[in-house]
Amino acid sequence: MQQDRQQQFVGFQEWIRGELASYPGGKAPFHDYMAWCLYHPEFGYYMNDRVKIGKEGDFYTSSNLGGFMGECLASYVRQSFANEEGEVYLVEWGGGTGSLALSLLDSICAEDPELYSRLKYISVEASPQHRKLQRQHLESHQDRILWLEEAEFYASAPWRKTLLFSNELPDAFPVHRIMVRGGVWHECFVSWDAANREIKESYVPLGDGEVADYLIREGAPLREGQIFEVNLQAQHWLRSILGALEQGEVMTIDYGDVSEELYAAHRMNGTLMCYYRHLASDTPFQRPGEQDMTSHVNYSALIRTGQEAGVSSWRFLTQKQFLVENGLLDKLREHSGRDPFSEEARRNRMIRQLLLSDSMSELFKVLIQTKP
């Protein structure tokens, strides 16, 4: 298995080398390189069959912590659809292994059978491996679930009585990397260093175009040497799904912040991070296709995009606020404290981890946008 992985790694490097040769001057925007690493049909991190989430993978998500995120989300769903009659739609975009969907659907089925009976759960998932895992994990709810390709979702528009949500999705979209040099924005490009047989980066002055327009609208600083990311795909995605949604809500759960924080002076190196077997690094060229690559979501840009796309109201809160509002504290269990390994003690530790400010609670945010 290890030998196969090594062969895949070498094969992907050679593919990247050949692809770079097709670009003018042998240089491609970092955005394109990141897209290859994550979404190449054969070698891409999210597209291959390697375990990514959980103890055997590279990172954890909030859905790994005892199903509490799904239970709290189910509470919100029940409130959201309280006044809706007939069939309603719950759409998860990029649902990974299906663990969040399982706890959510289990909770709705147990707490509100009537709603469950008229709920249609739509999964939009690009990864073949994750679609396979979802079908396995969600077998008990197969009568409620429909798997759609992205194009099929848009072809079925307009969507009404719909809550569309994502958990850690936009942070994994490819980004443009920008650095300020000599009072001018420069964009990161990637090329092949033949002498050292490795991928290297360089920065060239940013020309006119969508990236420049984004930076101007954002009021991005010209602080010498600062690096930051531009996630145009997050805006394109949100604009598209809001265009397909006639009536309902879009909930984006992810780690990130508003523009002022992302461009602050203490973030001179940007927010791009790589994760490999639970080790974090800022080395995107070391393991192409073998490691996760993410950057913080710019919620200011998503809020602005929503307003332009017809959102009538929105809420922006921390994940901690969302969880507390939707009953997380009610899930704590009393115990004697004598056995730290008891089920009650273990359950309470997982809840505490979701609430601690140095864990997922403050870094992760929830943006709820309503239309019309």
Side-chain angles (χ1 to χ4, degrees):
M1 180 64 72
Q2 183 63 34
Q3 185 177 4
D4 291 342
R5 294 290 184 197
Q6 182 62 26
Q7 290 176 345
Q8 287 182 339
F9 174 77
V10 173
F12 192 28
Q13 272 205 327
E14 289 303 311
W15 183 91
I16 291 173
R17 178 184 177 184
E19 194 69 13
L20 287 172
S22 68
Y23 281 74
K27 293 184 176 183
F30 178 85
H31 167 278
D32 293 13
Y33 168 78
M34 185 172 175
W36 301 336
C37 291
L38 297 180
Y39 298 105
H40 184 279
E42 180 181 357
F43 301 113
Y45 177 78
Y46 290 120
M47 309 304 282
N48 62 49
D49 60 0
R50 182 172 174 268
V51 176
K52 302 164 185 68
I53 304 173
K55 183 178 180 180
E56 302 301 322
D58 301 303
F59 56 89
Y60 289 102
T61 70
S62 54
S63 61
N64 293 109
L65 297 177
F68 298 118
M69 185 67 187
E71 293 174 15
C72 290
L73 186 55
S75 175
Y76 182 86
V77 170
R78 295 197 300 272
Q79 297 173 52
S80 182
F81 288 138
N83 298 319
E84 298 286 2
E85 298 180 352
E87 193 167 51
V88 295
Y89 301 93
L90 190 56
V91 181
E92 183 177 16
W93 205 289
T97 65
S99 59
L100 180 59
L102 180 60
S103 60
L104 193 163
L105 289 171
D106 281 349
S107 182
I108 294 177
C109 183
E111 299 293 333
D112 195 338
E114 191 278 329
L115 173 61
Y116 181 82
S117 69
R118 55 190 178 88
L119 177 71
K120 179 63 73 173
Y121 197 95
I122 312 295
S123 175
V124 183
E125 173 59 61
S127 167
Q129 175 66 6
H130 282 167
R131 285 199 299 271
K132 178 181 176 181
L133 291 173
Q134 287 180 23
R135 291 182 186 276
Q136 294 172 355
H137 293 165
L138 300 173
E139 185 176 3
S140 60
H141 298 288
Q142 59 181 334
D143 293 340
R144 297 289 93 204
I145 300 177
L146 179 64
W147 279 269
L148 292 181
E149 299 286 342
E150 185 173 339
E152 293 175 317
F153 171 83
Y154 291 121
S156 301
W159 290 84
R160 304 178 184 88
K161 295 189 289 187
T162 298
L163 170 58
L164 187 152
F165 73 97
S166 64
N167 184 40
E168 296 188 55
L169 177 71
D171 71 88
F173 289 160
V175 298
H176 298 265
R177 296 205 84 194
I178 305 299
M179 176 186 283
V180 180
R181 286 182 172 176
V184 177
W185 290 315
H186 287 62
E187 182 170 4
C188 180
F189 277 73
V190 173
S191 60
W192 179 257
D193 183 346
N196 296 306
R197 295 191 58 79
E198 62 183 14
I199 301 164
K200 67 176 183 179
E201 67 178 0
S202 59
Y203 284 84
V204 301
L206 179 67
D208 294 335
E210 194 175 3
V211 175
D213 292 343
Y214 175 100
L215 294 171
I216 292 170
R217 293 195 68 184
E218 280 286 292
L222 289 171
R223 191 176 292 113
E224 187 66 21
Q226 186 167 17
I227 296 174
F228 37 82
E229 296 80 29
V230 173
N231 191 340
L232 296 178
Q233 189 170 333
Q235 292 182 282
H236 296 163
W237 169 75
L238 181 59
R239 189 177 295 114
S240 295
I241 60 176
L242 285 171
L245 182 67
E246 184 173 287
Q247 180 263 316
E249 295 179 325
V250 173
M251 178 186 295
T252 307
I253 307 168
D254 218 322
Y255 59 89
D257 221 309
V258 294
S259 299
E260 291 81 1
E261 168 61 23
L262 297 181
Y263 301 145
H266 65 271
R267 290 195 179 275
M268 291 299 292
N269 294 321
T271 66
L272 185 79
M273 293 297 294
C274 304
Y275 295 92
Y276 180 75
R277 296 183 178 175
H278 300 284
L279 296 177
S281 74
D282 58 358
T283 55
F285 306 118
Q286 280 193 355
R287 297 185 178 91
E290 291 287 300
Q291 62 181 358
D292 191 18
M293 300 167 65
T294 74
S295 68
H296 283 29
V297 173
N298 185 336
Y299 277 102
S300 294
L302 294 187
I303 291 170
R304 184 177 64 243
T305 298
Q307 292 173 323
E308 295 170 349
V311 164
S312 58
S313 62
W314 53 271
R315 286 193 71 200
F316 180 56
L317 58 164
T318 66
Q319 182 172 282
K320 177 180 179 178
Q321 289 175 283
F322 177 82
L323 292 172
V324 170
E325 286 183 8
N326 289 281
L328 182 63
L329 294 180
D330 296 335
K331 302 180 186 302
L332 289 168
R333 295 289 182 265
E334 292 186 8
H335 64 96
S336 65
R338 296 175 183 174
D339 181 6
F341 302 105
S342 68
E343 178 62 28
E344 293 80 5
R346 189 177 69 86
R347 177 186 180 91
N348 289 351
R349 281 196 299 273
M350 287 190 287
I351 292 175
R352 186 170 65 249
Q353 188 172 347
L354 282 168
L355 295 175
L356 287 175
S357 61
D358 61 348
S359 185
M360 297 178 174
S361 65
E362 302 293 339
L363 177 60
F364 277 71
K365 308 297 193 303
V366 180
L367 175 62
I368 304 170
Q369 296 169 294
T370 303
K371 190 179 178 183

